[in-house]
Amino acid sequence: MAPVAVEQPAAVVQNAQQDTKITLTQSHLKFINSQLQNLEPQQILQWAILTFPRLYQSTAFGLTGLVTIDMISKLQPQYAVAHPIELIFVDTLHHFNETLNLVDRLKKRYPSAALHIYKPENCDTVEDFNRLYGERLWETDEASYDFLVKVEPIQRAYEELGVRATLTGRRKSQGGKRGDLDIVEVEEYTGLIKINPLANWSFKDVHDYMKSNDVPYNVLLDRGYRSVGDWHSTAPVGEGEDERAGRWKGKAKTECGIHETSKFAKFLAAKKVAQQEEATA
């Protein structure tokens, strides 16, 4: 008799409190995405809350993330916890002041939403960061900069908080590598499950929801920005350009590394080898 092929799980999620596991194979992921494809974001959020233990929302308070927060706040009557999803925000120390002001406004608007803020390791201020790594590191070593201010802090957050699944604000209409985005993904390197509840919404859908529900937003939106990151790598978007065209303008780059963990695993491995070779020399 020929051996039976066993499909390897794409991810295994364990609930530490209930000691239960959720195993997702590639075929299971495909089936889940086919079922969620035609659901509204609110329905996807309800499904995610009921399905995944240790579910958080990682957000830089972009438009989609803000809409997600507001949608979750309106699910409150159905859950014992006022805001059932806790938030993770990575403060890169290089955000616009308008972004940091928005964080304060959101705390007042959604006081029951627990917010975890993570910064680059051993740094509280931009002066701390410059002292450790030098000024304008994004110009001299962009990969190291991305790792230090974004990838390492979010991975530390996932580890310390025991995150098994996270909601993101990515959408297909943002262009670039997000054009064929699934609603549910499994991160290749870490096995983290990522849910993109508004993956099928357009910029207009998001903007209309914000207006209808009076959702607080970054005032930079009124100045032509559509996707806001660090001040030194974000610009207003021109007429007819992709929504994220203002990020790293003039470069082929479209992602900072938070959603490219496998790429940064290779980067770290190469850097470690280089350091070992330097030490040997």
Side-chain angles (χ1 to χ4, degrees):
M1 179 183 295
V4 178
V6 178
E7 185 175 8
Q8 294 299 312
V12 177
V13 182
Q14 182 167 353
N15 185 330
Q17 296 178 338
Q18 299 177 358
D19 196 30
T20 58
K21 293 182 179 180
I22 298 174
T23 302
L24 298 181
T25 63
Q26 291 297 338
S27 58
H28 192 186
L29 267 179
K30 186 176 181 180
F31 173 77
I32 288 173
N33 280 304
S34 70
Q35 297 300 302
L36 298 178
Q37 191 63 29
N38 296 317
L39 296 185
E40 291 299 319
Q42 293 91 333
Q43 295 172 301
I44 295 172
L45 287 169
Q46 289 176 311
W47 169 83
I49 292 170
L50 292 171
T51 302
F52 296 110
R54 310 301 299 165
L55 174 65
Y56 285 73
Q57 180 184 353
S58 57
T59 179
F61 302 113
L63 297 184
T64 316
L66 295 169
V67 168
T68 301
I69 293 170
D70 190 75
M71 287 180 174
I72 293 172
S73 74
K74 291 177 168 56
L75 298 177
Q76 287 182 10
Q78 302 177 38
Y79 301 96
V81 180
H83 195 97
I85 304 296
E86 297 182 20
L87 311 176
I88 302 172
F89 170 59
V90 173
D91 181 356
T92 66
L93 305 176
H94 297 81
H95 283 296
F96 288 92
N97 288 331
E98 289 85 349
T99 301
L100 300 178
N101 291 338
L102 173 63
V103 175
D104 292 334
R105 287 160 52 209
L106 291 170
K107 287 179 180 178
K108 295 176 182 177
R109 175 67 177 268
Y110 308 103
S112 61
L115 174 62
H116 304 274
I117 299 178
Y118 280 77
K119 298 180 179 182
E121 197 166 24
N122 301 319
C123 298
D124 284 324
T125 65
V126 70
E127 290 76 20
D128 292 338
F129 187 85
N130 291 342
R131 188 164 49 250
L132 286 174
Y133 305 108
E135 295 185 9
R136 306 183 77 84
L137 181 63
W138 60 89
E139 292 181 350
T140 58
D141 190 346
E142 188 175 51
S144 290
Y145 174 81
D146 282 347
F147 176 77
L148 290 167
V149 305
K150 299 172 186 176
V151 180
E152 188 282 327
I154 195 66
Q155 294 300 326
R156 179 160 31 98
Y158 292 157
E159 183 176 347
E160 291 182 1
L161 298 172
V163 179
R164 298 294 178 265
T166 182
L167 303 172
T168 88
R170 292 177 297 161
R171 291 180 285 107
K172 294 178 183 177
S173 64
Q174 290 172 321
K177 294 182 180 179
R178 305 184 180 194
D180 57 354
L181 191 67
D182 284 327
I183 292 172
V184 181
E185 307 169 292
V186 176
E187 198 172 66
E188 177 187 352
Y189 179 62
T190 64
L192 180 75
I193 294 173
K194 291 186 174 182
I195 301 103
N196 311 302
L198 278 77
N200 294 326
W201 270 27
S202 66
F203 177 83
K204 184 179 185 304
D205 293 330
V206 173
H207 194 258
D208 288 349
Y209 179 97
M210 294 188 68
K211 287 184 65 177
S212 299
N213 293 272
D214 193 27
V215 179
Y217 64 89
N218 196 321
V219 295
L220 291 173
L221 177 68
D222 297 329
R223 303 177 201 168
Y225 294 81
R226 286 196 174 186
S227 177
V228 180
D230 290 342
W231 63 263
H232 54 75
S233 57
T234 306
V237 173
E239 189 68 31
E241 288 186 312
D242 283 341
E243 193 175 325
R244 286 173 60 84
R247 302 289 293 275
W248 307 285
K249 203 152 193 170
K251 297 183 179 182
K253 177 178 178 176
T254 60
E255 297 286 351
C256 66
I258 285 180
H259 299 298
E260 295 182 315
T261 312
S262 58
K263 166 189 164 185
F264 271 86
K266 296 173 185 175
F267 161 73
L268 288 177
K271 194 158 191 174
K272 186 174 181 180
V273 170
Q275 289 171 339
Q276 290 173 340
E277 290 175 349
E278 184 180 346
T280 302

